[in-house]
Amino acid sequence: MKLSHFNFNLPAELLAEFPAENRDEARLMVVNRKTQTIEHKLFKDILDYFEEGDVMVLNNTKVFPARLYGNKEKTGARIEVFLLRELNAEQRLWDVLVDPARKIRIGNKLYFGDDDSLVAEVIDNTTSRGRTLRFLYDGSYEEFRAKLLELGETPIPKYINRAVTPEDAERYQTIYAKEEGAVAAPTAGLHFSKHLMKRLEIKGINFAEITLHVGLGTFNPVEVEDLSKHKMDSEELRITEEACEIVNKAKSNKKKVCAVGTTTMRAMESSVSSAKTLNPYEGWTNKFIFPPYDFSVADCMITNFHTPKSTLLMMISAFCGHDLMKKAYEEAVKEKYKFYSYGDAMLIL
């Protein structure tokens, strides 16, 4: 399949700038691959599609406030710095994106905070917008991290065309977020409320947690017509023995295994055995899933509605079947489902 197969017209008013008032009352489209049917529900109705012993696999990564605003020395120009990943804790080296990039050269210093309590020096260019920064800070490593948290802002996506509000810090985080390291939320999980999780638990549904630290590469548009030539950014991944045991037991008992989100699906497909069981893993993954693709672990998934030409849409096409995915998306536009991070959800059975 080619890039042009994944283009569609998305009306601007279908972009969700705020989430549903109650997390679990977003709309839910249920797409059944076997019967080729589509139903319209609320997210909390997900309870009706799972039985005792089924497993939901969650990505427990936690978003950190990765967007900082600093001032360039001498000129005082305001510069946005987006923290991507820590390269060296001891030397306080970070991979970042800067905007506007043309103003930022090696040797420049940036000052953060009203009192300039944090300073960074540019020590390398990595890409057109990418830089390596060395942060200069007198305190301990713990104090330095606390300073980043204090000065940073929740990195809600750029396409949400409004200012960040204090509420975003909580609502752009899944309720089961634990392991800090993502610069974007695994958004399918944003629909779960504590109440719904409890009801699923009471019904006997089990949860397995993996960690994939979502990077900005997830949202990079594909720009090559031949999909096999697209390069995914690497993201840090951890799958524990415990998660594997929960998932593999469900598979051997012929129970459903549901991937909550494209990040979870990618994580699981990055570490499977020839017998199609999940293996423990610690490292990085740059796996790119596009059709045709034979999935090994999950037999259903929960996801949001994704942008045209995105790697996420390509994964959904591979899992759902391209024609059914197109039909579902046409229906979503017609029925005015909300798209992207704060949007509505889809359950693919």
Side-chain angles (χ1 to χ4, degrees):
M1 300 202 84
K2 295 194 163 30
L3 178 62
S4 45
H5 289 113
F6 297 93
N7 203 8
F8 64 94
N9 181 37
L10 179 59
E13 68 269 15
L14 297 188
L15 166 64
E17 296 216 325
F18 293 94
E21 200 171 326
N22 297 319
R23 284 180 184 246
D24 56 15
E25 287 183 352
R27 293 167 74 194
L28 176 72
M29 179 186 283
V30 182
V31 179
N32 190 312
R33 294 178 294 171
K34 206 183 203 165
T35 59
Q36 298 279 296
T37 54
I38 292 171
E39 295 177 279
H40 303 286
K41 302 281 186 176
L42 291 180
F43 192 79
K44 59 187 179 186
D45 298 329
I46 218 148
L47 199 66
D48 302 335
Y49 295 89
F50 293 91
E51 301 298 332
E52 188 175 349
D54 290 344
V55 169
M56 287 189 174
V57 189
L58 312 171
N59 182 2
N60 67 10
T61 187
K62 189 174 186 181
V63 181
F64 70 95
R67 191 171 275 136
L68 300 169
Y69 292 95
N71 297 98
K72 191 178 164 189
E73 65 178 336
K74 296 183 183 141
T75 66
R78 181 175 156 94
I79 306 293
E80 179 188 307
V81 173
F82 197 105
L83 302 173
L84 289 177
R85 60 178 69 94
E86 187 174 49
L87 299 173
N88 184 308
E90 205 178 312
Q91 295 181 36
R92 296 178 190 170
L93 294 183
W94 281 76
D95 232 348
V96 305
L97 295 178
V98 292
D99 192 19
R102 66 183 187 283
K103 295 184 174 181
I104 302 301
R105 298 188 173 89
I106 293 172
N108 286 161
K109 284 203 171 107
L110 300 171
Y111 292 84
F112 302 91
D114 295 338
D115 53 356
D116 297 342
S117 55
L118 184 63
V119 182
E121 185 179 5
V122 181
I123 62 168
D124 198 9
N125 292 334
T126 51
T127 62
S128 59
R129 287 181 57 216
R131 301 289 184 272
T132 302
L133 295 189
R134 176 185 286 120
F135 283 97
L136 312 170
Y137 187 76
D138 287 339
S140 67
Y141 179 72
E142 287 69 28
E143 289 168 325
F144 164 63
R145 289 296 296 223
K147 179 56 75 172
L148 287 183
L149 291 178
E150 176 199 321
L151 295 174
E153 183 179 278
T154 302
I156 66 169
K158 282 277 196 191
Y159 55 70
I160 293 181
N161 196 16
R162 61 169 174 80
V164 174
T165 67
E167 292 78 22
D168 284 315
E170 184 253 337
R171 63 189 173 198
Y172 195 58
Q173 202 78 270
T174 63
I175 56 165
Y176 46 77
K178 290 191 185 91
E179 304 291 337
E180 194 171 83
V183 298
T187 55
L190 295 178
H191 301 288
F192 285 90
S193 64
K194 285 186 174 142
H195 181 63
L196 179 57
M197 295 282 282
K198 195 75 200 156
R199 289 178 69 201
L200 287 162
E201 215 177 285
I202 290 165
K203 196 169 178 180
I205 284 96
N206 296 314
F207 299 101
E209 294 185 10
I210 56 94
T211 307
L212 179 79
H213 290 317
V214 189
L216 281 188
T218 295
F219 305 106
N220 283 351
V222 179
E223 289 169 346
V224 285
E225 187 64 15
D226 178 353
L227 301 185
S228 64
K229 293 194 164 47
H230 176 70
K231 295 277 186 290
M232 287 287 278
D233 281 5
S234 287
E235 294 172 324
E236 203 174 347
L237 168 62
R238 186 160 62 253
I239 301 173
T240 61
E241 289 270 8
E242 185 190 0
C244 294
E245 279 168 25
I246 295 168
V247 168
N248 294 335
K249 183 181 171 191
K251 281 183 76 68
S252 64
N253 290 338
K254 304 280 189 287
K255 297 293 185 182
K256 277 197 194 93
V257 174
C258 181
V260 177
T262 53
T263 61
T264 301
M265 185 68 92
R266 253 183 81 222
M268 290 198 290
E269 290 295 319
S270 297
S271 187
V272 291
S273 71
S274 53
K276 296 197 167 190
T277 57
L278 188 61
N279 285 338
Y281 182 81
E282 187 150 358
W284 295 76
T285 179
N286 62 353
K287 191 168 188 68
F288 173 31
I289 297 173
F290 59 95
Y293 183 85
D294 183 19
F295 290 83
S296 297
V297 186
D299 40 30
C300 56
M301 78 180 292
I302 295 166
T303 185
N304 282 29
F305 289 93
H306 305 294
T307 36
K309 297 186 176 178
S310 64
T311 60
L312 312 174
L313 185 63
M314 289 159 194
M315 183 195 291
I316 300 311
S317 164
F319 190 72
C320 196
H322 193 71
D323 291 342
L324 184 56
M325 182 276 287
K326 272 186 76 174
K327 182 180 160 190
Y329 268 63
E330 280 162 14
E331 181 100 350
V333 170
K334 190 178 95 193
E335 295 293 330
K336 296 192 166 23
Y337 274 75
K338 292 289 190 179
F339 277 63
Y340 304 173
S341 299
Y342 282 151
D344 294 317
M346 181 192 272
L347 168 63
I348 307 169
L349 294 169

